[in-house]
Amino acid sequence: MSNQYAQIDPKDNIIVAIQGLKEGMEVSVAGEQLTLKEDIKQKHKFALYDFAIGDEIFMYGVLIGKAVLPIAQGCAITIDNVKHASAEYKESKEKFTWTAPDISNFEGRTFNGFHRKDGKVGTANYWLVIPLTFCENRNVDVLEGALAEKLGYQTKKDFAVDTDALIAKYKEGASADEIFNTPIITTKEEMVKNRLFPNVDGIKFLKHDGGCGGIRQDSETLCKLLAGYITNPNVAGATVFSLGCQNAQIEMLQNAINAIAPNNDKPVHYLEQQQSASERSLIEEAVKHTFIGLTEANKLTRQPAPLSKLVLGLECGGSDGFSGISANPGLGYASDLLVALGGSPVLSEFPELNGVEQEIINRCVTEHDAKKFYDLMRAYSAAAVAVGSGFENNPSPGNIKDGLITDAMKSAGAAKKGGTSPVVEVLDYTEQVTKPGLNLLCTPGNDVESTTGLVGSGCNVVVFTTGLGTPTGNPVAPVLKMSSNTNLYERMNDIIDINAGTVITGEDTIQTMGEKILDHVIRVASGETPSKAVLHGNNDFIPWKRGVSL
């Protein structure tokens, strides 16, 4: 890759500025000599040829827009002169062949995980506390206050203040000097070290604003999502709060769990407030059930597991003009490696597959999944239009400022996370990953809603690419953030785990970066290297609400 500009695909008629380029600069691309007619900002694009109104614009080898004004060769591509356009697609698929990457560096590798009786392996070991309706969020807060810090699971602050130590000294009759010299600060590292249950990574409290008031389908979907979290291999068991009168009934959640895991043996304790003697007795029972559940969860220890047990969520957010040429294709190569090793990467965010639908359809192993993807994309697009929007409105102001000016341009880069392997199954929201190989999961492009959905469908680790930076995490699965550029990695190193900016600077190829990503995933999955999101306690959880409120 040139250190100044690059043509990503031979079909592309716009060129990416790797660095800021000055007006008057002489450029040579694919045998074409041109002079830049204006300054081109880093990550933005310029025209390789003259464009007339209506001419098609290609990047990543696919249609990403059409000119709405004449654009001279060497001029910038902007939201004023180009508008979104994407290729048409049909549900039938063409023949597809795939050559797997070299996996010799990973053959025989394992990760140390928590083995469940159903054969799945967790990369962590959590206990969940879940409300079936927003009315129970306060009781979840009370339980968190009663358990989290006392058991060493406080992650919202960098240290704890032990006022009890001062009280004890005072009661002993200690002098002012003795009280002043009593240590009362416990660091986060000390809290972790002193946990009562060292084999339990935490208690996670999944508050939400659903479960009642919307359409019945939303409550059914919420229960399926929560069932996916309870049955996720990173979870040992759960405490569930129910008010009693809400749409999301206990039986609905139980049926959803049985549909995923008919022989589920994880302990799930249900507490219904309208059937309890008092709120105090409800909380007392919840604390005791949870504490006993933690004692059982603590008996499990990490053991070696094959890499085929990794279910890797592929996510992006805060994307920039480099995301599609460094971080996303690097993650795509790691995805291909995992497929070749028998694992299951999962690509989501259907609005960000707009423009590459035919490629995805062609990669589907079965006609059934090709048609399912076609139908889901058509329905999703129609739903967006019905509320006065559309996929073309997906790019955020931050995306546009950093060079992603149409949804198809953003999507073509985002799809690179899925690598090049066949699509073994297409899943709708909350459906579970059951097949090894690349899976597609229908979620929104919204970062947290999508990540929430990935973990709810069985992902036990997530890699999240970003060009602008985000602290996003998840309560159950470790989320590794990867920067598309070195500047971001250096500025936000406290929240970014991996730097793919070395692809831009030429220190890494897509292949070497992909291997580095998979190696880092293995270390995180083994509990050796915590993700920055886990260290900071980023427990983002937003269920996707598809319906209206009633």
Side-chain angles (χ1 to χ4, degrees), residues 90-96 358 360-368 370:
K90 54 185 189 239
E91 63 183 77
S92 60
K93 65 189 207 66
E94 300 172 8
K95 184 178 180 181
F96 176 77
Q358 193 62 57
I360 297 293
I361 287 169
N362 293 343
R363 287 166 60 184
C364 288
V365 171
T366 68
E367 292 287 352
H368 168 80

Side-chain angles (χ1 to χ4, degrees), residues 252-285:
M252 191 182 292
L253 176 59
Q254 290 172 326
N255 289 339
I257 292 172
N258 289 335
I260 296 172
N263 300 314
N264 176 58
D265 66 335
K266 293 181 181 179
V268 183
H269 303 291
Y270 299 93
L271 300 108
E272 191 156 279
Q273 187 163 9
Q274 289 173 347
Q275 298 298 319
S276 65
S278 66
E279 186 176 276
R280 187 175 299 177
S281 64
L282 179 80
I283 295 299
E284 181 179 10
E285 187 178 351

Side-chain angles (χ1 to χ4, degrees), residues 148-166 182-196:
E149 189 166 355
K150 291 288 186 182
L151 298 178
Y153 297 116
Q154 180 59 261
T155 57
K156 293 181 180 178
K157 51 192 179 185
D158 292 327
F159 61 89
V161 179
D162 184 11
T163 308
D164 289 342
L166 300 183
T182 300
I184 61 169
I185 299 297
T186 305
T187 67
K188 185 182 291 186
E189 291 74 19
E190 288 171 331
M191 285 189 281
V192 170
K193 187 177 180 180
N194 295 327
R195 282 176 179 169
L196 182 61

Side-chain angles (χ1 to χ4, degrees), residues 54 61 112 119 122 188 220 277 292 320 365 380 406 412 417 438 456 522 537:
N112 287 323
K188 185 182 291 186
E220 291 171 2
I292 293 169
D320 72 344
V365 171
Y380 203 148
T406 74
K417 301 191 303 292
L438 178 64
I522 293 168

